[in-house]
Amino acid sequence: MATWANLGLQDSSSPLMEQLNFFHDHTLLILTMITILVGYIMGMLMFNKFTNRYLLHGQTIEIIWTVLPAIILMFIAFPSLRLLYLMDEINTPSITLKSVGHQWYWSYEYSDFLNLEFDSYMVPTNELETNGFRLLDVDNRVVLPMNNQIRILVTATDVLHSWTVPSLGVKVDATPGRLNQLNFLITRPGLFFGQCSEICGANHSFMPIVIE
């Protein structure tokens, strides 16, 4: 879960989030290099009194500053597309969980078992135990196995919701009348917290997700 003054991404708990972390760092490095280069050139233009008369017009330099950004964009686009396809890929799931968004709580069904469903409400602050997390803990947690492919089917009954667990790199919209599917794998034990990430009304902030 996120901690105080945490400016970076959360530690990854799935292979997908690991790849997303790498891609974030890779893109940030490219952006930093571009920013430094452009900043340096702008600084030189402002403080330099000299003029290079051969650089005032020239085919070569124009080809370079057209082709170079295109190549840099390809270095961002290809890893990004690879990740998009990885996120959409559905492997053979060991277990299927169905998550239904309501105003303002989640209800879950384990589709592989008969009659196994429950509602998950946020624990109010006045009922919270001393070691509980305010606005994040729920009365019924989702229990899932690690090192197993998990499929989640997400829908809603009333308005748009979004089922999101940042440390697993998982975010899927819950749309009324539509079933969205997502695949993930948990690589380590623990508690993973998430929240609804689509503005869904007055109590939008009070429908957390906890995976155990």
Side-chain angles (χ1 to χ4, degrees), residues 97 108 138 141-144 152 163 165 168 184 186 190-194 209-212:
L97 175 73
Y108 297 99
V138 293
R141 292 170 177 166
V142 180
V143 179
L144 291 172
I152 180 157
W163 199 86
V165 182
L168 299 176
F184 62 92
I186 303 169
L191 285 180
F192 307 111
F193 294 90
I209 299 149
V210 183
I211 295 178
E212 188 176 328

Side-chain angles (χ1 to χ4, degrees), residues 15-34:
L16 197 62
M17 188 58 192
E18 219 166 88
Q19 291 296 316
L20 286 165
N21 265 328
F22 292 148
F23 177 66
H24 169 267
D25 296 344
H26 164 78
T27 312
L28 207 63
L29 196 68
I30 292 172
L31 285 174
T32 307
M33 283 159 53
I34 292 169

Side-chain angles (χ1 to χ4, degrees), residues 118-130:
F118 57 89
D119 295 334
S120 180
Y121 289 88
M122 185 192 79
V123 179
T125 309
N126 57 347
E127 293 175 22
L128 206 59
E129 292 178 18
T130 47

Side-chain angles (χ1 to χ4, degrees), residues 136-148:
L136 278 180
D137 258 321
V138 293
D139 55 358
N140 293 312
R141 292 170 177 166
V142 180
V143 179
L144 291 172
M146 61 179 273
N147 293 329
N148 277 282

Side-chain angles (χ1 to χ4, degrees), residues 11 13 36 51 53 58 68 80 91 102 131 145 155 158 163 169 179:
D11 291 342
S13 304
I36 290 168
T51 304
R53 62 195 174 124
L68 205 63
S80 172
N91 302 305
H102 306 267
N131 60 351
T155 187
D158 35 48
W163 199 86
L179 207 59

